[in-house]
Amino acid sequence: RAGASVPVRLPHDEAMSKLVTLNPCALAATSGGPVSIWHVGSVNSSVVSSTPPDLISEWSRGAFEYVDLWLTEHTELTGQLTGHIQVFNLRGISFWQVSNSTLIERLRLVFSAGEFYLEAVSRIFIVNSSSVFSMAWSVVKGLISPRTAAKIHVDSGIPKELLASLCPTSASRLQQLLAAPTPGLPIMRPMHVSYS
């Protein structure tokens, strides 16, 4: 394919990597769909207030539009539907982060464009969660639709279901990426291969 060797870039990648480590489409699922890792606990408090909301919104649109393009192209080429797996890594999250209103507003903006692509999400894994978060999840789970709740898995480590849903090379990389969040990872291109 033309341009396959050209790296995929999202708007404002450099500025966003100073705010929080985000790895959109860093891994691939057995179904051929993209897997993104959001390292929520890696937020840099010194740049939260100085990162313009418009910049974050633009990045969000670029990231979720790219996911949509990946899924559409995969479906057109293979005739199979697949979805986006999102992994929220809570390692390192602090009380300050969950109680800081400016930070929460900025993180909402990071994922704001995702609301237009809700059906693209096949699974959400919240990993490295604390026991307090897991208890809160058991309450929240009862407040959302069963269909949505079925897509979300909360674990204090890395669930077997997540590892099983990744292609072999991605499964082996996942633990490294969760243990040492790395900004600026290359964004993968669609693979159009099913490992099922």
Side-chain angles (χ1 to χ4, degrees):
R1 291 177 306 195
S5 63
V6 176
V8 175
R9 300 269 184 231
L10 296 175
H12 313 295
D13 265 340
E14 190 174 319
M16 289 299 293
S17 69
K18 292 176 185 171
L19 175 64
V20 61
T21 301
L22 304 167
N23 303 134
C25 305
L27 303 173
T30 57
S31 65
V35 179
S36 298
I37 307 172
W38 317 118
H39 303 279
V40 180
S42 70
V43 172
N44 180 350
S45 60
S46 67
V47 299
V48 167
S49 296
S50 63
T51 306
D54 291 348
L55 178 144
I56 299 170
S57 294
E58 262 187 70
W59 182 92
S60 180
R61 277 191 304 278
F64 287 98
E65 286 173 6
Y66 180 74
V67 167
D68 186 57
L69 288 171
W70 176 318
L71 297 174
T72 301
E73 184 177 312
H74 178 82
T75 299
E76 288 173 356
L77 291 174
T78 67
Q80 300 173 347
L81 291 175
T82 188
H84 182 208
I85 296 175
Q86 297 185 42
V87 180
F88 288 82
N89 182 13
L90 300 188
R91 175 171 281 152
I93 201 161
S94 68
F95 179 74
W96 174 86
Q97 290 171 319
V98 296
S99 62
N100 182 301
S101 60
T102 304
L103 169 63
I104 291 168
E105 174 201 333
R106 297 302 196 266
L107 285 176
R108 276 192 189 127
L109 289 173
V110 167
F111 305 109
S112 62
E115 71 185 62
F116 300 106
Y117 302 99
L118 290 177
E119 290 302 315
V121 176
S122 62
R123 295 292 304 268
I124 294 174
F125 292 93
I126 300 169
V127 301
N128 297 319
S129 72
S130 68
S131 57
V132 172
F133 184 87
S134 295
M135 287 187 319
W137 168 244
S138 64
V139 172
V140 170
K141 190 175 183 179
L143 303 175
I144 60 177
S145 75
R147 182 175 179 210
T148 301
K151 291 182 177 186
I152 302 171
H153 186 90
V154 177
D155 199 285
S156 61
I158 303 170
K160 291 177 188 168
E161 295 90 340
L162 172 55
L163 293 171
S165 67
L166 301 177
C167 73
T169 55
S170 291
S172 64
R173 289 190 62 216
L174 177 66
Q175 291 184 358
Q176 292 173 288
L177 296 175
L178 292 175
T182 306
L185 283 180
I187 296 171
M188 291 182 69
R189 292 182 177 277
M191 298 175 55
H192 312 305
V193 174
S194 176
Y195 291 92
S196 302

